[in-house]
């Protein structure tokens, strides 16, 4: 989950800045699950979008970026988001290792891509988000290890 | 003391912790699992992670 503060973007969530894992049962839509649980905990978010996938924990893990509105989750713990190099490999293979900061970096590059390509996304993002994302190299959905 | 009155603790991977007797930790963790992680945890699954409090 991402929020914009007066000091810049932060990684946050009901459990603070650690990754928030949701289970998706075989009869459920991942997007609906993320939106429903996020809304239950914090109210409807500004934006929910899947940005990458990887195999881990004996399952396929879908990474979602959830952008909170300025008035949501102000009391939650959070950490500032810095820049990170992306994990890369060949044209047909995923990188061998990846850090959580690289998942976030990729999520923000994906968001930057949406902010350029998708009018709906551009429309819901605040000027502060659009200004921040202009600094990122746009990148679409991707397979991460 | 009855077996079911033992004080137990169950810790979720996210850091959430539930303490109580068997019925209490099962109820607390099941609610947490559903509301926070969209998980359907059975009584057996919850108690398999229980430790003495």
């Amino acid at each position: 989950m991402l929020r914009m503060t007066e000091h810049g973007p932060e990684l946050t969530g009901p459990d603070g800045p650690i990754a928030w894992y949701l289970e998706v049962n075989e009869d459920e839509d991942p997007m609906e699950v993320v939106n429903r649980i996020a809304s239950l905990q914090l109210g409807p978010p500004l934006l929910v979008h899947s940005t990458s996938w990887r195999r881990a924990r004996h399952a396929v893990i879908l990474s979602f970026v959830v952008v909170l509105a300025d008035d949501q989750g102000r009391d939650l713990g959070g950490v500032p988001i810095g820049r990170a190099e992306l994990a890369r490999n060949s044209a047909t293979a995923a990188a061998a290792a990846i850090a959580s900061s690289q998942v976030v970096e990729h999520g923000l590059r994906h968001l930057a891509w949406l902010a350029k390509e998708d009018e709906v996304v551009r429309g819901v993002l605040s000027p502060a988000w659009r200004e921040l994302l202009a600094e990122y190299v746009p990148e679409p959905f991707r397979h991460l290890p | 003391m009855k077996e079911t009155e033992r004080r137990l603790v169950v810790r979720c991977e996210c850091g959430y912790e539930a303490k109580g007797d068997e019925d209490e930790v099962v109820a607390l963790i099941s609610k947490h699992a559903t509301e926070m992680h969209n998980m359907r945890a059975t009584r057996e699954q919850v108690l398999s992670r229980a430790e003495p409090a």
Side-chain angles (χ1 to χ4, degrees):
Chain A
M1 290 189 131
L2 308 175
R3 71 180 172 203
M4 182 59 75
T5 74
E6 61 270 30
H7 306 297
E10 287 189 347
L11 187 61
T12 186
D15 301 323
I18 66 171
W20 184 13
Y21 286 95
L22 305 180
E23 187 166 278
V24 179
N25 298 296
E26 62 183 26
D27 58 341
E28 293 179 315
D29 179 321
M31 176 71 88
E32 187 280 327
V33 170
V34 173
N35 193 33
R36 173 166 50 82
I37 300 294
S39 297
L40 179 69
Q41 296 300 323
L42 297 166
L46 273 187
L47 180 68
V48 176
H49 207 90
S50 179
T51 61
S52 62
W53 69 274
R54 66 188 187 280
R55 180 171 284 283
R57 296 172 168 233
H58 308 290
V60 173
I61 307 286
L62 299 176
S63 297
F64 281 80
V65 163
V66 177
V67 180
L68 299 178
D70 288 347
D71 60 348
Q72 286 180 298
R74 307 311 297 179
D75 56 338
L76 300 175
V79 294
I81 296 172
R83 298 303 304 265
E85 291 294 322
L86 287 182
R88 295 189 185 280
N89 199 335
S90 70
T92 56
I98 189 166
S100 58
S101 59
Q102 292 172 311
V103 176
V104 174
E105 172 75 18
H106 176 73
L108 283 168
R109 292 190 189 198
H110 187 93
L111 205 53
W113 178 71
L114 289 170
K116 284 178 69 78
E117 300 288 329
D118 190 312
E119 283 187 24
V120 173
V121 170
R122 191 165 51 245
V124 300
L125 292 173
S126 68
W129 271 112
R130 292 200 300 270
E131 185 178 335
L132 172 87
L133 293 171
E135 301 169 5
Y136 282 75
V137 177
E139 185 152 348
F141 195 96
R142 191 166 168 231
H143 172 202
L144 299 176
Chain B
M1 181 183 287
K2 289 192 302 183
E3 186 71 9
T4 54
E5 292 173 344
R6 282 186 311 155
R7 295 282 296 174
L8 299 171
V9 59
V10 180
R11 296 180 180 86
C12 178
E13 278 188 42
C14 72
Y16 174 79
E17 200 175 89
K19 289 181 179 175
D21 63 24
E22 279 192 12
D23 289 344
E24 288 168 338
V25 295
V26 167
L28 288 168
I29 290 291
S30 296
K31 183 173 188 291
H32 172 78
T34 302
E35 294 180 355
M36 291 294 292
H37 303 294
N38 197 47
M39 291 178 68
R40 302 162 186 168
T42 65
R43 182 181 184 88
E44 290 69 30
Q45 287 171 327
V46 174
L47 293 178
S48 72
R49 298 177 66 97
E51 299 173 2

